[in-house]
């Protein structure tokens, strides 16, 4: 597994490509590409990584990712089991900035869309109210004629560009080119995603990356803009928030299910990342 640049031969020289996917599980590779990508989840759950951002995703998740920004949507572990009967349903729109013609978005009337495309270098997530409003248009995109696809995507981008309910994801510009060092990060992210509930240590992940602990710490910080401990806590807490929403289990059970051995530490990390305690988070749902 390695960080890869996606360049499907079937997409070469195409300014706009819409894919409707119904598959057992999402792509498990940490990757980037030259196009903008608007990804809408209509059926699926898991954890997404966009630049240095880690967050839980569920149906209604709508995110715009800019060119060369590494990202990964990884389903919950149950999706990757052989006997999995769950299905993932997504709409993926990949497009270049000139899909309507060279310099279109540089015109004054498209200033807000141009600003949105600029913000996408950090990744932009939109609220559920907006994604629900755009649900029908997004689902129909893949079935439209080429002209209608361009017109409808422009309309969707317009709605996204004037939205108040949006969140910039990555805290820094993580756009990058392929390097030999980059190839290790996918192995590490997959290992963390699969084993966050276990008592994994810095030595464990350094061994997975075939590096000394000191070298690994520098490498991980460079690649994710976070320490390993900070990143692991975010993955655990994002999964905990999912369990608190979906399952009628006690807070202590959730604590142990995501890899913590101390309720006190779990509460502390949860409040630091989610801004509320686990109990208050459940009550607010």
């Amino acid at each position: 597994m390695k960080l890869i640049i996606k360049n499907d031969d079937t997409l070469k020289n195409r300014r706009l490509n819409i894919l409707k996917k119904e598959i057992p599980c999402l792509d498990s590779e940490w990757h980037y590409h030259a196009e903008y990508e608007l990804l809408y989840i209509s059926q699926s759950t898991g954890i997404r990584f966009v630049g240095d951002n880690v967050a839980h995703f569920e149906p209604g998740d709508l995110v715009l990712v800019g060119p060369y920004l590494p990202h990964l949507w990884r389903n919950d572990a149950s999706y990757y089991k052989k006997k999995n009967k769950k299905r993932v349903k997504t709409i993926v729109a990949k497009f270049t900035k000139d899909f309507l013609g060279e310099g279109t978005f540089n015109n004054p009337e498209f200033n807000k869309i141009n600003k949105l495309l600029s913000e996408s270098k950090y990744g932009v997530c939109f609220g559920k109210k907006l994604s629900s409003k755009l649900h029908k248009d997004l689902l129909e995109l893949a079935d439209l004629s080429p002209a209608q696809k361009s017109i409808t995507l422009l309309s969707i981008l317009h709605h996204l560009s004037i939205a108040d309910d949006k969140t910039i994801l990555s805290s820094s510009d993580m756009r990058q080119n392929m390097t030999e060092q980059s190839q290790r990060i996918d192995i590490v992210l997959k290992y963390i995603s699969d084993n966050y509930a276990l008592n994994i240590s810095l030595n464990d992940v350094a061994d997975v990356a075939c590096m000394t602990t000191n070298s690994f710490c520098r490498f991980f910080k460079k690649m994710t803009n976070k320490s390993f401990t900070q990143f692991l806590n975010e993955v655990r807490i994002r999964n905990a928030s999912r369990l608190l929403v979906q399952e009628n289990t006690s807070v202590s059970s959730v604590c142990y299910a995501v890899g913590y051995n101390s309720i006190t530490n779990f509460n502390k990390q949860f409040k630091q990342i989610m801004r509320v305690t686990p109990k208050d988070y459940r009550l607010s749902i």
Side-chain angles (χ1 to χ4, degrees):
M1 299 291 288
K2 60 183 180 180
L3 175 63
I4 61 171
I5 180 166
K6 289 196 167 182
N7 189 22
D8 192 326
D9 289 339
T10 63
L11 305 184
K12 287 182 179 178
N13 301 318
R14 293 183 62 175
R15 296 179 177 182
L16 172 60
N17 190 68
I18 312 293
L19 299 173
K20 180 186 289 186
K21 297 182 178 181
E22 184 172 344
I23 51 181
C25 57
L26 289 168
D27 188 350
S28 61
E29 293 178 310
W30 174 250
H31 67 278
Y32 63 91
H33 37 70
E35 303 85 9
Y36 295 87
E37 178 174 290
L38 182 65
L39 192 147
Y40 176 63
I41 301 288
S42 61
Q43 182 176 303
S44 183
T45 59
I47 295 288
R48 60 169 151 80
F49 307 87
V50 178
D52 63 14
N53 178 264
V54 181
H56 170 67
F57 73 83
E58 58 188 14
D61 197 58
L62 180 62
V63 174
L64 178 64
V65 177
Y68 302 105
L69 176 62
H71 54 279
L72 164 65
W73 270 249
R74 184 163 176 80
N75 285 120
D76 300 327
S78 59
Y79 281 81
Y80 299 95
K81 294 180 179 178
K82 289 183 179 180
K83 295 184 179 180
N84 169 43
K85 293 183 179 180
K86 298 179 182 179
R87 302 299 292 178
V88 171
K89 294 182 180 180
T90 68
I91 298 295
V92 181
K94 287 187 178 181
F95 59 95
T96 61
K97 193 173 183 179
D98 61 351
F99 78 93
L100 288 175
E102 191 70 36
T104 297
F105 294 119
N106 293 327
N107 294 322
E109 58 266 36
F110 293 119
N111 277 344
K112 290 187 177 180
I113 293 180
N114 201 28
K115 181 182 177 183
L116 174 65
L117 295 178
S118 178
E119 291 174 334
S120 73
K121 68 182 178 182
Y122 300 103
V124 184
C125 179
F126 303 93
K128 292 296 177 62
K129 185 176 180 180
L130 178 58
S131 68
S132 179
K133 179 181 178 181
L134 297 173
H135 175 81
K136 185 173 182 292
D137 287 340
L138 288 162
L139 291 187
E140 291 177 348
L141 260 179
D143 301 321
L144 299 176
S145 69
Q148 289 174 315
K149 285 179 182 177
S150 294
I151 293 168
T152 303
L153 179 59
L154 177 62
S155 175
I156 290 171
L157 290 174
H158 167 68
H159 285 292
L160 298 180
S161 72
I162 62 175
D164 294 324
D165 188 10
K166 64 181 180 181
T167 304
I168 303 299
L169 297 178
S170 186
S171 66
S172 62
D173 188 347
M174 300 289 288
R175 290 175 296 176
Q176 60 184 278
N177 294 316
M178 184 66 179
T179 66
E180 289 185 8
Q181 261 196 337
S182 303
Q183 297 178 13
R184 287 191 174 98
I185 196 64
D186 185 59
I187 299 171
V188 173
L189 291 181
K190 184 177 185 300
Y191 180 82
I192 294 172
S193 295
D194 290 345
N195 298 282
Y196 68 87
L198 304 178
N199 186 28
I200 58 176
S201 67
L202 176 60
N203 285 332
D204 293 331
V205 288
D207 287 344
V208 168
C210 299
M211 303 175 77
T212 65
T213 54
N214 287 338
S215 295
F216 175 79
C217 287
R218 291 192 296 270
F219 157 75
F220 195 82
K221 181 74 172 180
K222 178 181 178 182
M223 297 301 296
T224 67
N225 204 34
K226 296 177 182 179
S227 69
F228 163 68
T229 300
Q230 182 183 0
F231 191 89
L232 177 60
N233 279 325
E234 287 197 24
V235 171
R236 284 174 167 169
I237 296 304
R238 299 298 180 184
N239 276 284
S241 67
R242 173 180 58 83
L243 294 176
L244 287 169
V245 170
Q246 296 181 353
E247 300 180 15
N248 186 24
T249 54
S250 66
V251 171
S252 60
S253 295
V254 172
C255 162
Y256 299 125
V258 297
Y260 289 101
N261 296 317
S262 163
I263 296 292
T264 301
N265 186 35
F266 173 66
N267 287 332
K268 176 184 176 182
Q269 296 300 332
F270 196 98
K271 187 171 184 179
Q272 183 175 325
I273 293 170
M274 303 300 292
R275 308 300 182 193
V276 293
T277 65
K279 182 178 179 180
D280 288 342
Y281 179 82
R282 172 169 272 172
L283 291 173
S284 70
I285 299 167

